[in-house]
Amino acid sequence: MRDLGVGFGYLLKGQRWVARHGRQYGFGLLPGLITLVLYAAALVALALWGADAVSWATPFADDWGSPWQGLFRGFLTAVLFALGLLLAVLTFTAVTLLVGQPFYENLSETVDADVSPDGTAPRSGLPLWRELWISARDSLRVLVRAALWGVLLFALGFLPFVGQTVVPVIGFFVTGFFLTEELAAVALQRRGVELRARLTLFRSRKTLVWGFGTPLGLAFLVPFAAVFLMPGAVAGATLLARDLLGEESAADDPAAPGAPGGRPDTEDVTP
């Protein structure tokens, strides 16, 4: 259970790190803002035209009498919007990381260099297009896994009592696991750690992953919180990745430049 607290500590350290590096934080906000606008437009469109889409997809209900037609199509419209919202939550991080790959890559490298005893950070050595391809491919594979869990939990949600108590809790832990994988992938991909190895690594310390990702997933439910927390989440996930790989850090609190045994604050580098 100690790992739960350690994981949450990395989440806080990441937020403190970006608070001390204003330029990195500012550039890290841009991808989240772009993704938020795109997702908001998609959800508004779904809310406006979802009922029309359901009516088009259910022509067999055209002759149903009142109130059954309205109840049936209203239920399907609500389900469609709920699935769209769930998909938005599950994919927001992946899409934001893909849009902001150069920004978050630079942010993660800066964190690595800041806490590394020798002041260096691992580099992939791959061209940008190759990194984007690997990131998109791995994100899609992770999202397929997350979507399967989402469909399963959505179906279990109709079970009396269990669906309203146990299933939502499991859902938050599942979301936290995949959220952490997406965020830590920025640092681990630079180290050449493949997706299968990453998942094995995360499963070996699930409580650490849950301690980081579950409270972050809960925070992401607050409107616009994901945009402002993303830079710190990437920084914290980089620190967590170093822990998972057993890499030494320069200070007990890597988020505090100038701490005893640590390195002085480093100059911000923009992409």
Side-chain angles (χ1 to χ4, degrees), residues 177-199:
F177 181 90
F178 288 114
L179 184 61
T180 304
E181 196 287 327
E182 288 286 353
L183 292 165
V186 177
L188 294 173
Q189 187 176 307
R190 278 192 291 108
R191 291 163 166 82
V193 182
E194 298 290 337
L195 175 61
R196 188 180 298 274
R198 294 202 300 265
L199 292 174

Side-chain angles (χ1 to χ4, degrees), residues 13 179 181 200 210 247:
K13 288 177 181 180
L179 184 61
E181 196 287 327
T200 300
W210 289 336
E247 297 180 2

Side-chain angles (χ1 to χ4, degrees), residues 13 16-18 20-21 24 106-122 190 235 238-239 242 248-251 253-259 261-268:
K13 288 177 181 180
R16 289 205 300 269
W17 192 94
V18 295
R20 295 173 182 270
H21 297 74
Q24 288 285 340
N106 179 266
L107 171 60
S108 180
E109 282 189 20
T110 306
V111 173
D112 261 326
D114 189 38
V115 303
S116 175
D118 59 3
T120 62
R190 278 192 291 108
T238 301
L239 300 174
R242 295 180 64 88
E248 183 182 357
S249 294
D253 185 356
R263 298 176 58 251
D265 197 358
T266 56
E267 182 180 357
D268 288 329

Side-chain angles (χ1 to χ4, degrees), residues 45-165:
L46 189 61
L48 292 176
W49 294 294
D52 294 336
V54 168
S55 298
W56 172 82
T58 57
F60 56 85
D62 287 343
D63 298 327
W64 290 12
S66 178
W68 306 115
Q69 183 193 84
L71 290 173
F72 176 70
R73 286 179 169 169
F75 172 75
L76 291 183
T77 301
V79 169
L80 179 63
F81 187 81
L83 286 175
L85 191 60
L86 176 63
L87 186 62
V89 172
L90 291 174
T91 61
F92 183 87
T93 300
V95 174
T96 302
L97 290 173
L98 188 61
V99 171
Q101 177 74 17
F103 297 97
Y104 294 136
E105 189 79 17
N106 179 266
L107 171 60
S108 180
E109 282 189 20
T110 306
V111 173
D112 261 326
D114 189 38
V115 303
S116 175
D118 59 3
T120 62
R123 295 177 180 271
S124 67
L126 298 175
L128 178 60
W129 71 267
R130 179 66 177 169
E131 290 182 350
L132 289 173
W133 163 250
I134 294 175
S135 178
R137 181 198 65 191
D138 289 351
S139 293
L140 181 60
R141 292 162 65 185
V142 170
L143 288 175
V144 169
R145 290 175 168 85
L148 291 176
W149 272 99
V151 171
L152 174 62
L153 293 173
F154 183 79
L156 292 175
F158 290 98
L159 294 176
F161 183 72
V162 175
Q164 292 75 48
T165 54

